[in-house]
Amino acid sequence: MKDENCIFCKIANGEIPSATVYEDDRFRAILDMGPASKGHTLILPKEHFKDVCALDEGYASRVLSLGGKIGAAMKKSLGCSGFNLVQNNGASAGQTVFHFHLHVIPRYDDGAPMVTWVPGHADTDELKETAECIQTAL
């Protein structure tokens, strides 16, 4: 299903031009218009899924390997030393377009830090309680 009001549906299905780096029957991967680094790519499903929670299993099983394939191509062609696969779900997590997409962000040795956090601390009892809370919701 496609959402006629979704800009990513329109881009993924070729209605809006993009700098496409990969396309198959399920996905179009495009260069991000506001890149975090040179080569920053978005993998867009051609079907509309709001976020990873709504993602069809067939798409979910393919998108991670596609991210790895594109990341490996970036290392070979752009000379980056690594890459991040980033996927945001919900406004509080940084999602701004509510159409599932996976960022493939090339990382360069002299590049700016990104996708980092300061590790916190949780004691064993807190970890156990949190794990049990999540388990009951599955």
Side-chain angles (χ1 to χ4, degrees):
M1 183 170 83
K2 295 169 185 65
D3 180 340
E4 65 184 47
N5 297 313
C6 174
I7 192 164
F8 277 6
C9 281
K10 291 176 182 178
I11 294 169
N13 290 286
E15 296 172 42
I16 295 175
S18 62
T20 300
V21 299
Y22 175 86
E23 183 176 11
D24 64 21
D25 62 325
R26 290 186 174 193
F27 295 97
R28 181 183 299 257
I30 65 165
L31 292 178
D32 193 309
M33 296 282 293
S37 66
K38 181 180 179 179
H40 181 165
T41 297
L42 303 177
I43 301 175
L44 310 173
K46 292 182 177 182
E47 296 295 322
H48 185 80
F49 304 99
K50 178 183 173 187
D51 57 26
V52 74
C53 299
L55 193 62
D56 172 274
E57 285 187 29
Y59 284 83
S61 67
R62 177 80 178 108
V63 72
L64 190 60
S65 63
L66 182 53
K69 178 179 180 177
I70 292 170
M74 289 171 169
K75 288 173 74 173
K76 184 177 181 180
S77 64
L78 300 177
C80 60
S81 54
F83 60 93
N84 292 109
L85 298 178
V86 178
Q87 204 284 306
N88 304 319
N89 293 281
S92 62
Q95 186 178 11
T96 58
V97 178
F98 293 88
H99 176 114
F100 171 89
H101 54 287
L102 181 67
H103 296 259
V104 186
I105 305 172
R107 300 299 301 272
Y108 302 91
D109 288 337
D110 61 350
M114 63 180 99
V115 194
T116 62
W117 60 87
V118 176
H121 174 76
D123 63 37
T124 304
D125 290 338
E126 180 183 357
L127 293 172
K128 181 180 177 186
E129 182 180 319
T130 302
E132 288 171 355
C133 184
I134 295 168
Q135 289 167 359
T136 59
L138 289 174

